[in-house]
Amino acid sequence: MNLLNKNDALSLARLRDVLIRLEDTIIFALIERAQFALNDCTYQPGVYKYDNGSQGSFLEYFLHEMEKVHARVRRYTSPDEYPFTSPLPEPMLPTLDFPPTLHPNNINVNKDIMERYLQDIVPKICAPGDDLNYGSSATRDTECLQALSKRIHYGKFIAESKFMDPTQQKTYIKLIQNKDRDGIMELLTNRTVEAALLRRLRRKALIYGSDITETGEVVTKEKEVEEGSTATAAAPGATTTSRKIQADVVADLYERFVIPLTKEVEVEYLLQRLDGWQIPEDTKN
């Protein structure tokens, strides 16, 4: 997405392309995290002492150090990037002149993303226990969190694009003036698109989460034993597909977490959309 081009940034077709690519990013990030154990100690505060005096968890320390580097190369000056930690240093690169695509707002749901990621996602994709791969786990956690944050905060661009649609703007303005959260949520919701998204995600997760042989076949547990070792073969018929991550987990993540939180961002953004904005005369009646 070229955010230096305002028309490009508010095109629903271009936004859809971005969100589809982010699906791939999120699935692969989850697969990478799932190869390590839960490593719960990385999420507990006070386990380690840090050179910056932090009393938080290892993940919080690691994430802050990563975001300091990213801030130096101006990552968080982009309107589609939101840091989890603060304070962060000023960029060393010259700032870019992004057009005012979004209406000024103070929405950042990274705290909710972090909580839900640690409580609902990691325990479902990772085996319980401790494999000592703390740095690798934190690296993958960071990738997952940043991808989820970007995907969810893109709700602001979606909301702005829908708000600027001349066929719907008058309706949005009236709902916003009435602070009708339920009405705004209903207007921006497209259940057909959401159902198609979940079907696509499940299919992607089935493909990306499977090992594929050189001939294009999906590897099963029985084949892995026969081809990779001299151990006794699995029982007849025991050819369950070997998966790096379960497709239902990915679809459930989107259905219960990503989609609702994205729509929450959209609603909150729209509720602030009229602040300091001159309502066009032709939409007042």
Side-chain angles (χ1 to χ4, degrees):
M1 174 73 75
N2 181 13
L3 295 179
L4 294 172
N5 183 329
K6 183 173 182 177
N7 293 330
D8 194 37
L10 293 181
S11 162
L12 278 178
R14 290 288 295 118
L15 287 169
R16 181 178 182 274
D17 290 343
V18 171
L19 298 185
I20 289 175
R21 288 201 304 274
L22 282 170
E23 292 170 9
D24 299 343
T25 301
I26 290 169
I27 293 172
F28 282 118
L30 293 171
I31 289 172
E32 288 298 310
R33 177 61 184 94
Q35 68 179 303
F36 302 108
L38 181 62
N39 294 328
D40 189 60
C41 67
T42 63
Y43 308 131
Q44 304 304 320
V47 175
Y48 300 101
K49 293 183 179 180
Y50 309 107
D51 52 11
N52 63 0
S54 170
Q55 299 298 313
S57 69
F58 177 73
L59 174 60
E60 290 170 330
Y61 167 77
F62 184 91
L63 187 56
H64 189 209
E65 293 300 308
M66 288 289 291
E67 289 192 337
K68 285 196 294 186
V69 174
H70 293 177
R72 293 286 288 165
V73 294
R74 70 185 178 201
R75 176 173 185 169
Y76 302 112
T77 64
S78 177
D80 63 344
E81 296 283 0
Y82 296 83
F84 284 82
T85 66
S86 64
L88 295 174
E90 293 297 317
M92 60 177 289
L93 297 176
T95 56
L96 297 174
D97 186 18
F98 291 102
T101 305
L102 297 176
H103 191 71
N105 66 91
N106 58 4
I107 301 164
N108 185 324
V109 296
N110 277 344
K111 182 179 179 181
D112 290 336
I113 293 172
M114 175 69 81
E115 289 178 357
R116 298 192 194 188
Y117 177 76
L118 297 181
Q119 294 174 8
D120 299 335
I121 300 175
V122 177
K124 288 183 178 179
I125 65 173
C126 296
D130 189 317
D131 61 11
L132 303 180
N133 288 297
Y134 305 147
S136 297
S137 297
T139 300
R140 302 312 180 194
D141 283 330
T142 297
E143 293 168 355
C144 289
L145 288 166
Q146 290 175 334
L148 288 167
S149 176
K150 189 167 188 172
R151 167 58 173 84
I152 289 166
H153 284 103
Y154 253 100
K156 297 182 184 184
F157 291 91
I158 297 169
E160 178 68 18
S161 180
K162 291 180 178 180
F163 178 82
M164 294 305 295
D165 182 347
T167 66
Q168 292 189 314
Q169 189 174 85
K170 188 174 182 178
T171 305
Y172 273 117
I173 289 174
K174 185 173 293 187
L175 291 170
I176 295 167
Q177 289 174 328
N178 294 333
K179 300 189 183 305
D180 186 350
R181 290 175 176 272
D182 292 339
I184 295 171
M185 179 68 78
E186 184 62 29
L187 183 58
L188 61 80
T189 296
N190 188 324
R191 293 176 179 81
T192 301
V193 169
E194 290 178 10
L197 182 156
L198 293 173
R199 288 194 299 270
R200 183 173 66 245
L201 270 171
R202 187 171 280 104
R203 181 60 179 164
K204 283 183 176 182
L206 283 170
I207 296 172
Y208 301 163
S210 301
D211 285 321
I212 308 296
T213 67
E214 293 180 358
T215 59
E217 297 178 355
V218 176
V219 175
T220 63
K221 290 181 179 179
E222 186 178 32
K223 286 184 178 180
E224 286 178 322
V225 171
E226 292 173 347
E227 297 169 1
S229 73
T230 58
T232 303
T239 57
T240 304
T241 301
S242 176
R243 301 227 180 267
K244 304 166 189 172
I245 194 168
Q246 294 301 314
D248 287 342
V249 171
V250 177
D252 183 67
L253 159 67
Y254 259 73
E255 187 171 19
R256 293 196 309 109
F257 168 40
V258 174
I259 294 175
L261 197 50
T262 301
K263 293 201 295 187
E264 183 179 320
V265 167
E266 293 180 46
V267 171
E268 291 300 325
Y269 176 84
L270 288 169
L271 286 171
Q272 298 182 27
R273 184 57 181 80
L274 302 184
D275 297 347
W277 185 68
Q278 184 65 43
I279 299 176
E281 289 294 330
D282 59 354
T283 62
K284 289 183 178 181
N285 299 318

